[in-house]
């Protein structure tokens, strides 16, 4: 028997009574890896270097919230990518990266109602730029891998806003975007799957966990545990 909060199979809510009106929101912020897309890009880049198991183990621990210093965990993984070529990253982009089911449909529905879109990722601009262009997302924030002579150096490049997009930077970017738009954070939706998404999800008016880690599902107002991202539209009408 479904629990009281499981309004449909694989769709769990807490803290509110549906439906909500999509038009009452003005911004939707997405995590990228394992949320909008089907892979963890850092793990797939590591596969090209023959280091996927080692990198994936760190990624999994970070997403479960078992690593306190996310920035150091990302630096550690980036070091293991040293020597991977830009051509190999392009192969990941062309042949492994796919939008998750319902991603395009949800983004289009939000855009049709006038919502702006934000992509905030602990991943890398090489991939977020491609996803941005494909979905016509308004703003992105992610990390830059340093490239020399067509190959990764194992380092990341500092940007004007800071060094690494971690959970606190995701939250800051969400709040800054709301301020720039002249809207309240309560008018924003934040969607993610890992522990580093919790700060921005906690700042938004509606938090959505997509096939997420247990700690994220427990704290989200909406948990999509089966089906695609567009299942959110069963709640937002």
């Amino acid at each position: 028997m479904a629990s009281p909060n499981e309004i449909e199979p694989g769709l769990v809510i807490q803290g509110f009574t549906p439906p909500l009106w999509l038009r009452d929101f003005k911004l939707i912020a997405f995590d990228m890896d394992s949320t909008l897309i089907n892979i963890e890009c850092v793990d797939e880049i590591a596969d090209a270097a023959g280091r996927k198991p080692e990198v994936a183990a760190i990624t999994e621990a970070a997403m479960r919230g078992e690593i306190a210093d996310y920035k150091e965990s990302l630096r550690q993984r980036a070091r293991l990518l040293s020597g991977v070529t830009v051509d190999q990253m392009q192969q990941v982009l062309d042949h492994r990266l796919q939008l998750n089911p319902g991603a395009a449909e949800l983004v289009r529905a939000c855009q049709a109602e006038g919502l702006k879109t934000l992509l905030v990722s602990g991943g890398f601009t090489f991939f977020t730029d491609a996803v941005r262009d494909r979905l016509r997302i308004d703003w992105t924030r992610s990390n830059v891998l340093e490239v020399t002579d067509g190959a990764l150096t194992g380092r990341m490049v500092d940007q004007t806003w800071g060094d690494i997009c971690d959970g606190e930077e995701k939250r800051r970017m969400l709040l800054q975007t709301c301020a720039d738009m002249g809207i309240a954070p309560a008018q924003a939706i934040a969607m993610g799957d890992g522990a580093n998404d919790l700060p921005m999800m906690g700042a938004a008016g509606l938090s959505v966990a997509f096939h997420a880690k247990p700690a994220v599902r427990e704290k989200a107002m909406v948990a999509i545990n089966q089906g695609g991202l567009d299942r959110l539209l069963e709640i937002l009408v």
Side-chain angles (χ1 to χ4, degrees), residues 19-25 235-237:
L20 302 175
W21 299 100
L22 184 56
R23 63 175 175 265
D24 288 341
F25 295 93
I235 294 165
L236 291 167
V237 298

Side-chain angles (χ1 to χ4, degrees), residues 2 6-12 209 211 222-227 231 234:
E6 190 171 20
I7 60 171
E8 295 288 346
L11 188 63
V12 178
H211 293 228
V222 180
I224 301 170
N225 300 325
Q226 298 174 23
R231 293 206 67 189
E234 297 176 32

Side-chain angles (χ1 to χ4, degrees), residues 66-210:
E66 296 170 1
I67 297 177
D69 190 339
Y70 178 86
K71 288 187 177 184
E72 183 51 38
S73 83
L74 188 58
R75 291 189 186 100
Q76 184 180 356
R77 283 175 282 167
R79 285 193 291 271
L80 292 168
L81 305 180
S82 178
V84 174
T85 67
V86 172
D87 287 343
Q88 287 172 316
M89 289 203 297
Q90 189 67 44
Q91 290 290 312
V92 172
L93 180 58
D94 292 342
H95 300 294
R96 301 194 187 189
L97 187 153
Q98 298 177 7
L99 295 177
N100 267 329
E105 291 81 359
L106 176 58
V107 170
R108 282 198 298 266
C110 290
Q111 291 168 335
E113 284 293 338
L115 279 74
K116 294 295 187 181
T117 48
L118 171 65
L119 175 57
V120 280
S121 175
F124 308 113
T125 53
F126 188 90
F127 301 100
T128 56
D129 288 355
V131 173
R132 174 199 65 200
D133 294 346
R134 183 169 176 181
L135 293 175
R136 299 182 180 179
I137 285 173
D138 294 293
W139 304 290
T140 65
R141 172 128 312 165
S142 57
N143 303 299
V144 179
L145 289 166
E146 185 180 68
V147 176
T148 299
D149 297 328
L152 301 182
T153 66
R155 295 184 294 271
M156 287 174 288
V157 179
D158 287 355
Q159 300 178 72
T160 55
W161 48 263
D163 54 356
I164 288 174
C165 185
D166 62 354
E168 286 307 312
E169 181 58 28
K170 289 186 177 190
R171 178 181 181 276
R172 196 201 69 77
M173 183 62 177
L174 173 74
L175 294 175
Q176 183 61 55
T177 303
C178 289
D180 292 344
M181 291 177 63
I183 66 171
Q187 294 172 285
I189 303 166
M191 196 167 196
D193 73 296
N196 64 328
D197 298 314
L198 286 172
M200 73 167 180
M201 290 170 65
L206 183 66
S207 56
V208 185
F210 179 72

Side-chain angles (χ1 to χ4, degrees), residues 32-40 44 95-101:
M32 184 178 71
D33 294 35
S34 299
T35 300
L36 271 184
I37 66 172
N38 64 318
I39 59 173
E40 292 285 338
E44 300 308 315
H95 300 294
R96 301 194 187 189
L97 187 153
Q98 298 177 7
L99 295 177
N100 267 329

